[in-house]
Amino acid sequence: MNFKALLPILFWPVASSHEHHARRAQSQDPIAADTASINNIPFSTRAYWMRRANAASAELASPCPFAAFGTVIVNHTDSSKGALGKLVCIGINENGRVGNPVLHGEIAAINNCSSILTNSAGSYNLTAGEALDAFAKLSIYTNGESCPMCASAIRWAGFREYIYGTSIDTIIEQGWGQIRISSLEVFRRLFDLSTQSGLIGPILANETDPLFAWQFDPAAPCPEGCARGRMGVCENS
Ligand SMILES: *[C@@H]1O[C@H](CO)[C@@H](O)[C@H](O)[C@H]1NC(C)=O
Ligand SMILES: *[C@@H]1O[C@H](CO)[C@@H](O)[C@H](O)[C@H]1NC(C)=O
Ligand SMILES: *[C@@H]1O[C@H](CO)[C@@H](O)[C@H](O)[C@H]1NC(C)=O
Ligand SMILES: *[C@@H]1O[C@H](CO)[C@@H](O)[C@H](O)[C@H]1NC(C)=O
């Protein structure tokens, strides 16, 4: 018997009920307001770490790098440093600095955390296996919604939470080239990994949006500490 020919008959009713659910899910796309306290973490704490992600570029490169994407990775289950949680590592987009096209801020931060967690002379000194497991307790904050490569990396890592600032729609509207798949869509298609990740955003977009607004809009103001240079690009002033 030709089993393949039977498949559509056998599975058609299932597919159609799945389609129905997919449509309903789309009508539930909105996610929590940015001021909501999710996982018992108040907005003020979210805002603190998002500002820290914004500040990562200034700390590691310049207050107005072209690719102003910054990431911080935080342990919110560790209160030894206070109620805000404990910073594990930071990262910024390193494409231009090291010539590696996949080093978006999120990937750079994940690399950085891995090396910090497994450094045998560092304070964690985890084995590779322990480091992999450690991500399930960590939250990743990134000031721009992740591209699908990074959103996938975030799910492979199994972060407890992923929090973004500027939405991918805004990034596209601002003129950035982008692969048009939202993080929500990437997360929606991941149901067979053993880990779960919360998705929260946009958070503090009123402060993250301007960091990405000047690159393709000559009328947009430069971030603080920068001014338009001779080529019209915002430069450290
Ligand atoms: C995060 O905090 C929890 C609770 O203190 C701790 O068990 C875990 O080892 C911490 N993980 C990292 C990577 O700091
Ligand atoms: C890695 O994270 C640490 C801790 O936040 C930070 O001091 C360091 O500059 C980061 N390194 C890179 C390459 O981003
Ligand atoms: C790190 O862990 C390894 C393996 O458990 C151990 O041999 C080593 O002494 C530790 N390093 C430090 C600095 O404690
Ligand atoms: C951005 O909005 C948040 C509330 O969502 C507010 O707390 C914050 O002060 C605003 N930032 C600026 C620079 O106005």
Side-chain angles (χ1 to χ4, degrees), residues 69-71 73 92-95 100-111 140-142 144-159 161-164 168 178-179 181-184 186-187 190 197 199:
F69 299 95
T71 298
I73 295 179
I92 59 169
N93 184 298
E94 301 260 24
N95 292 167
N100 179 338
V102 303
L103 280 187
H104 289 185
E106 298 91 319
I107 306 287
I110 292 170
N111 283 349
I140 184 166
Y141 288 80
T142 184
E145 180 175 355
S146 298
C147 74
M149 172 182 77
C150 293
S152 301
I154 287 167
R155 283 300 288 113
W156 284 121
F159 281 100
E161 301 175 320
Y162 152 55
I163 306 98
Y164 65 81
I168 209 164
Q178 187 50 264
I179 300 166
I181 302 175
S182 67
S183 294
L184 188 63
V186 173
F187 276 44
L190 267 156
S197 302
L199 184 160

Side-chain angles (χ1 to χ4, degrees), residues 6-233:
L6 253 183
L7 276 179
I9 301 164
L10 281 174
F11 289 109
W12 185 76
V14 178
S16 99
S17 98
H18 176 79
E19 251 170 45
H20 178 69
H21 281 120
R23 264 198 300 277
R24 280 188 49 199
Q26 268 160 25
S27 71
Q28 293 167 4
D29 272 356
I31 36 191
D34 73 347
T35 46
S37 284
I38 305 207
N39 292 337
N40 284 323
I41 295 170
F43 169 71
S44 55
T45 300
R46 301 290 187 197
Y48 173 87
W49 290 114
M50 195 54 78
R51 288 180 181 133
R52 191 72 185 70
N54 282 344
S57 287
E59 186 177 328
L60 298 174
S62 126
C64 52
F66 194 86
F69 299 95
T71 298
V72 301
I73 295 179
V74 178
N75 190 346
H76 277 303
T77 70
D78 183 340
S79 50
S80 66
K81 302 270 177 198
L84 290 170
K86 186 182 173 194
L87 178 74
V88 182
C89 78
I90 65 175
I92 59 169
N93 184 298
E94 301 260 24
N95 292 167
R97 193 181 69 81
V98 301
N100 179 338
V102 303
L103 280 187
H104 289 185
E106 298 91 319
I107 306 287
I110 292 170
N111 283 349
N112 192 16
C113 269
S114 284
S115 75
I116 287 174
L117 292 173
T118 57
N119 180 356
S120 62
S123 54
Y124 296 97
N125 193 14
L126 303 184
T127 64
E130 288 166 345
L132 288 178
D133 290 342
F135 287 99
K137 285 212 172 96
L138 303 181
S139 300
I140 184 166
Y141 288 80
T142 184
N143 60 4
E145 180 175 355
S146 298
C147 74
M149 172 182 77
C150 293
S152 301
I154 287 167
R155 283 300 288 113
W156 284 121
F159 281 100
R160 176 172 180 254
E161 301 175 320
Y162 152 55
I163 306 98
Y164 65 81
T166 297
S167 73
I168 209 164
D169 287 345
T170 299
I171 289 170
I172 291 165
E173 281 163 14
Q174 286 169 331
W176 293 83
Q178 187 50 264
I179 300 166
R180 296 167 186 230
I181 302 175
S182 67
S183 294
L184 188 63
E185 184 59 21
V186 173
F187 276 44
R188 184 180 276 151
R189 286 173 183 268
L190 267 156
F191 38 76
D192 46 10
L193 294 183
S194 60
T195 54
Q196 295 283 325
S197 302
L199 184 160
I200 303 168
I203 286 277
L204 209 70
N206 56 330
E207 295 184 21
T208 60
D209 287 358
L211 297 178
F212 309 109
W214 62 264
Q215 290 84 342
F216 303 101
D217 177 0
C222 289
E224 217 178 297
C226 299
R228 299 268 174 192
R230 255 181 307 156
M231 306 295 289
V233 172

